[in-house]
C-alpha cells in the first residue's frame, strides 16, 4: 500500500477514522490496517525530518477524516434529542416554540410533590456556537518509528475535543433553560427516581423516545438502586452483573457520559449532579458551514501548529416539556 492508496482511503467514509480509533485504543489491527500504519509512518517521518509539509497534507488529512464524524446525525444521542439540519455559515433560521407549561416536580426534602415552574424558558433565541481546537505536533513525534500512533492520537483528539464542546454547550443550555428542578437529595433512591421518571409519563406522546442522560457515576448508581433489581428480567440482571450498569430504568434507556472527558476550557460534557430525562426531541440543531483546518510549521520550535475551526452549530430548545431535570445536592 502506498500514499496514493492512503489518499484513496481518505475518500472512503469512516475508514481512516476507524483505523485511528483502533490505534488510539490499542486494539488489534487487521493486516490492511497494519499496512495503513506503515504508510502513515512513512508520510509522518518525511514531515518530521524535513520540517516541511508539501500542500498542507496534514491539515487536509485531519479535515477529511474528522469532518464526517462531526456530523451530528452520526451521534445517536444528539439524534435522539434534536431534530437536525444543515445550513450555511451565515444563514439565519427562525425557531418556533410551544407555550410554557407549569407542572409539578418532586422535592424529597419536603416529602412530596410541590409546584415548580421548571419549564420556564429564559431565552427564546437560538444559541449559536463557534468551536475550535488547537494543538502542537512535535516534529520529534513525527520522526518516531511508530509515528502512526501520533497521527492517530491527534486525529481522535481533534474529533473528541470538538464533540465534547458540542455536548457541553447543549447540556449547559438545557440546564439553564429548565429553571426549576426535581430535588433528589445527596443520594439517589428508588423512590426519587421512580417519581422523577413517572412525572414525564403524563406528557408522553405516541412514539416518544424515553431517555435518561447523566454522568457515568450516576448512571451506575441508578442501576444499583436498592430494590430495582427485583423488577429486572433475568437477561437484564445478567447484564447488570456483567457491566455494573443497567441499560433501562422504568422504560427509560440510560446513557452514561464520561466524567473524565472535558472540553479544552475544563468543562464537563454534562453538568455534575444533574440527571436529565427526555421524551424524544426537545428542539432543533443545525450544523453550520464547513470544518477548516490550518497548519503552520514552526521550525524554530520544531513543531507544527494545527488549528481546527469552523465547527459551528446553532440550536434551540423548542419543546422544554420534553425534558425533566433532577438535581442532586
Amino acid at each position: 500500500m502506498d500514499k496514493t492508496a492512503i489518499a484513496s482511503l481518505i475518500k472512503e467514509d469512516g475508514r481512516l477514522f476507524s483505523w485511528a480509533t483502533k490505534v488510539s485504543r490499542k486494539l488489534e489491527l487487521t493486516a490492511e490496517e497494519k499496512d495503513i500504519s506503515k504508510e502513515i509512518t512513512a508520510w509522518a517521518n518525511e514531515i518530521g525530518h524535513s520540517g516541511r509539509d508539501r500542500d498542507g497534507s496534514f491539515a487536509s488529512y485531519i479535515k477529511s477524516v474528522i469532518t464526517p464524524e462531526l456530523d451530528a446525525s452520526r451521534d445517536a444521542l444528539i439524534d435522539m434529542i434534536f431534530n437536525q439540519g444543515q445550513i450555511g455559515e451565515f444563514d439565519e433560521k427562525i425557531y418556533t416554540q410551544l407555550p410554557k407549561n407549569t407542572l409539578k416536580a418532586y422535592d424529597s426534602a419536603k416529602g412530596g410533590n410541590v409546584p415548580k415552574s421548571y419549564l420556564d424558558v429564559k431565552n427564546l433565541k437560538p444559541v449559536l456556537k463557534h468551536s475550535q481546537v488547537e494543538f502542537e505536533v512535535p516534529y520529534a513525534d513525527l520522526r518516531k518509528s511508530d509515528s502512526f500512533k501520533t497521527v492517530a492520537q491527534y486525529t481522535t483528539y481533534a474529533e473528541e475535543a470538538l464533540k465534547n464542546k458540542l455536548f457541553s454547550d447543549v447540556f449547559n443550555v438545557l440546564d439553564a433553560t429548565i429553571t426549576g428542578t426535581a430535588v433528589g437529595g445527596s443520594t439517589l433512591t428508588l423512590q426519587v427516581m421512580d417519581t422523577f421518571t413517572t412525572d414525564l409519563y403524563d406528557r408522553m406522546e405516541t412514539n416518544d423516545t424515553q431517555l435518561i442522560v447523566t454522568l457515568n457515576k450516576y448512571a451506575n448508581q441508578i442501576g444499583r438502586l436498592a430494590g430495582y433489581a427485583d423488577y429486572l428480567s433475568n437477561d437484564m440482571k445478567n447484564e447488570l452483573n456483567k457491566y455494573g450498569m443497567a441499560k433501562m430504568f422504568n422504560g427509560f434507556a440510560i446513557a452514561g457520559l464520561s466524567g473524565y472527558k472535558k472540553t479544552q476550557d475544563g468543562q464537563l460534557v454534562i453538568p455534575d449532579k444533574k440527571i436529565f430525562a427526555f421524551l424524544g426531541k426537545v428542539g432543533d440543531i443545525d450544523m453550520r458551514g464547513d470544518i477548516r483546518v490550518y497548519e503552520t510549521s514552526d521550525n524554530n520550535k520544531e513543531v507544527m501548529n494545527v488549528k481546527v475551526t469552523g465547527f459551528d452549530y446553532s440550536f434551540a430548545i423548542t419543546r422544554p416539556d420534553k425534558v425533566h431535570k433532577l438535581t442532586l445536592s
Side-chain angles (χ1 to χ4, degrees), residues 33-208:
E33 289 166 341
K34 290 178 180 177
D35 287 341
I36 293 174
S37 298
K38 292 178 182 178
E39 294 302 327
I40 291 289
T41 293
W43 163 60
N45 284 171
E46 183 178 338
I47 298 173
H49 283 292
S50 67
R52 296 189 305 275
D53 180 17
R54 298 184 182 90
D55 303 321
S57 63
F58 191 87
S60 178
Y61 160 86
I62 292 291
K63 176 180 178 178
S64 299
V65 174
I66 72 170
T67 294
E69 306 304 321
L70 293 171
D71 185 343
S73 65
R74 290 207 177 196
D75 191 283
L77 189 55
I78 292 295
D79 192 51
M80 290 176 75
I81 63 179
F82 282 109
N83 298 305
Q84 299 184 49
Q86 176 78 42
I87 59 179
E89 180 180 4
F90 305 107
D91 291 346
E92 293 185 3
K93 180 176 179 179
I94 298 175
Y95 299 89
T96 58
Q97 185 168 27
L98 293 182
K100 70 179 183 181
N101 293 314
T102 300
L103 301 175
K104 290 185 176 182
Y106 183 80
D107 188 337
S108 61
K110 296 183 179 180
N113 290 325
V114 294
K116 289 278 188 179
S117 298
Y118 62 84
L119 297 181
D120 289 353
V121 178
K122 291 182 178 179
N123 188 356
L124 300 182
K125 296 180 181 179
V127 177
L128 175 61
K129 293 291 184 177
H130 304 277
S131 299
Q132 65 184 43
V133 59
E134 300 179 44
F135 53 88
E136 290 184 346
V137 184
Y139 291 165
D141 289 349
L142 294 176
R143 292 195 296 269
K144 291 179 178 178
S145 60
D146 59 355
S147 59
F148 70 92
K149 295 179 181 178
T150 297
V151 175
Q153 287 168 356
Y154 282 111
T155 303
T156 55
Y157 168 75
E159 186 269 349
E160 184 178 278
L162 293 173
K163 190 66 71 69
N164 286 349
K165 184 63 165 58
L166 168 63
F167 274 88
S168 179
D169 287 338
V170 165
F171 280 97
N172 278 323
V173 168
L174 278 168
D175 192 26
T177 298
I178 310 304
T179 57
T181 179
V183 181
S186 59
T187 304
L188 284 173
T189 66
L190 185 60
Q191 181 185 14
V192 167
M193 282 302 301
D194 208 16
T195 304
F196 171 60
T197 52
T198 300
D199 183 75
L200 280 173
Y201 283 120
D202 288 341
R203 292 177 249 161
M204 284 189 65
E205 300 176 38
T206 304
N207 297 324
D208 270 348

Side-chain angles (χ1 to χ4, degrees), residues 131-133 162 290-294 307-312:
S131 299
Q132 65 184 43
V133 59
L162 293 173
D290 299 301
I291 298 295
R292 303 183 301 280
V293 183
Y294 305 118
K307 177 179 180 179
V308 184
T309 187
F311 184 53
D312 303 338

Side-chain angles (χ1 to χ4, degrees), residues 11 29 55 143 189 198 236 268 285 309 315:
K11 298 178 181 179
L29 302 180
D55 303 321
R143 292 195 296 269
T189 66
T198 300
M236 293 177 72
L268 290 168
I285 189 168
T309 187
F315 59 91

